Amino acid sequence: MTQGLPPLHRVLACVVAAIWGVNFLAIHLSLAQFPPLFLVALRFALLAVPTLLFVPRPQVPTRWLVGYGLGFGVLQFTFLYTGMAAGMPSGLASLVLQASGPFTLVLGALLLGEGVGRRQWLGVALAAVGMLVVGVSRAGVAQLVPYVLVLLGALGWALGNLSSRLAAPPNPLHLTLWMSVVVPVPMLALSLALEGPEAIGRSLSTSFTAEAAPAWAGLAYTVLVGTVVGSGIWTWLLARHPAGVVGPFSMLVPVVGMATAGLVLHERPTLVEVAGGVVVVAGVLLGASGARGAGAAVRRRGRRSRERGGPRPSTGRRVPRSGWALRGR
């Protein structure tokens, strides 16, 4: 997993995973004050204003910028925040959201015609079994609905990943920041329609009290630390190393997320949920290693062909550029 990364870069990748793991605790704190849909709108509005003022627009087609914002921003966080507000433990949410990796692989194969190796399909199957185990452990309706909502959030993240791939931005961080411009208006409309002006007004009228300070601290963390710092470092690493080498570090996110939730919120996952989580992580790591192997094989064949003076070989399929295409919270 760490081959090719200098020690400092490994530390930075672990720092990002820790930042994103703690992010789920920050979301939990903010949801204690604000309705989930309005909180998504507020989070991205705080990012969108300085982005419009100071960050150059990424040179990508508008449709992929909008698609990234709708998938990664609107769909993912609508379901994630709603699921957590409905009772999904924050630590378990950090695990279930990792289903975005297998979802990205499958959707990339089905919609973009990307090549998938046998090891990657095995990783998908293993991760699916793990998710099924976690789902079975939450078989009661009151527990299953939040689980399904967060799983749909992972699907939204995967759809956003496809738009990000098709955009192929020269500066990925600019795309990540400009994605926030797409989110606030549709999320505010959804909040007004589903949560109502009274709930929004009530949350704002009581937000400038001492009791609401943790909610604002959580919101500041998700915006400044989780998105700006975490995504900034992650993008910097991806610009210098193959995504298949950097990406597996994101598997530390649920480890940190569940540990933080256990320490601060006293959340205790069942043994079945822990077992399912281990299987999910194993499946994602297996799929990521398969992606690196496929890419390396193509590069080796290309070098041999160039040394012989022949044309670059065609694999007959498109190897995914980013393996599991993992991004930040």
Side-chain angles (χ1 to χ4, degrees):
M1 182 175 76
T2 60
Q3 184 178 3
L5 284 184
L8 176 59
H9 294 190
R10 298 179 193 178
V11 171
L12 288 174
C14 291
V15 167
V16 175
I19 287 173
W20 287 342
V22 174
N23 217 14
F24 289 85
L25 173 62
I27 293 169
H28 173 87
L29 295 175
S30 297
L31 285 169
Q33 176 65 32
F34 301 105
L37 301 182
F38 178 69
L39 179 59
V40 178
L42 186 59
R43 168 182 174 168
F44 284 98
L46 293 174
L47 273 172
V49 172
T51 295
L52 284 168
L53 293 175
F54 302 113
V55 179
R57 186 190 183 284
Q59 300 303 305
V60 300
T62 300
R63 63 182 180 278
W64 302 131
L65 172 61
V66 173
Y68 185 36
L70 292 178
F72 184 87
V74 173
L75 291 178
Q76 178 187 190
F77 290 104
T78 292
F79 289 118
L80 173 63
Y81 280 35
T82 303
M84 291 180 65
M88 185 68 167
S90 59
L92 201 57
S94 70
L95 168 67
V96 173
L97 205 65
Q98 298 307 313
S100 62
F103 280 149
T104 299
L105 190 81
V106 173
L107 291 175
L110 294 177
L111 301 180
L112 303 184
E114 294 183 336
V116 180
R118 283 176 294 183
R119 183 179 295 183
Q120 290 173 281
W121 281 123
L122 181 59
V124 169
L126 197 59
V129 169
M131 286 297 170
L132 182 61
V133 169
V134 175
V136 168
S137 74
R138 307 186 67 79
V141 174
Q143 294 182 317
L144 186 59
V145 170
Y147 168 81
V148 172
L149 288 172
V150 176
L151 200 59
L152 289 173
L155 180 61
W157 183 2
L159 290 170
N161 281 338
L162 298 191
S163 291
S164 176
R165 288 188 188 185
L166 292 169
N171 189 322
L173 181 58
H174 286 183
L175 178 65
T176 299
L177 293 174
W178 266 83
M179 170 272 300
S180 66
V181 177
V182 178
V183 181
V185 172
M187 289 309 306
L188 183 58
L190 281 173
S191 178
L192 288 169
L194 300 178
E195 295 167 338
E198 290 186 7
I200 296 172
R202 189 164 54 250
S203 69
L204 290 174
S205 65
T206 59
S207 65
F208 298 102
T209 61
E211 291 77 9
W216 285 111
L219 184 58
Y221 183 94
T222 58
V223 172
L224 298 176
V225 183
T227 301
V228 177
V229 176
S231 295
I233 296 174
W234 193 255
T235 302
W236 185 86
L237 289 171
L238 288 174
R240 287 158 178 79
H241 304 284
V245 175
V246 179
F249 278 91
S250 67
M251 284 296 94
L252 296 174
V253 172
V255 176
V256 175
M258 297 180 83
T260 304
L263 289 172
V264 179
L265 304 176
H266 307 293
E267 293 179 1
R268 296 291 184 268
T270 66
L271 290 177
V272 173
E273 289 169 347
V274 172
V278 170
V279 174
V280 170
V281 171
V284 174
L285 289 176
L286 179 62
S289 68
R292 294 197 300 275
V298 171
R299 288 191 293 271
R300 285 194 299 269
R301 288 197 296 271
R303 284 195 298 269
R304 287 196 296 266
S305 176
R306 287 192 294 273
E307 288 169 358
R308 293 194 298 267
R312 296 185 66 180
S314 171
T315 63
R317 64 182 186 180
R318 180 183 176 189
V319 176
R321 292 201 313 266
S322 56
W324 293 93
L326 296 172
R327 289 185 180 270
R329 307 292 77 250

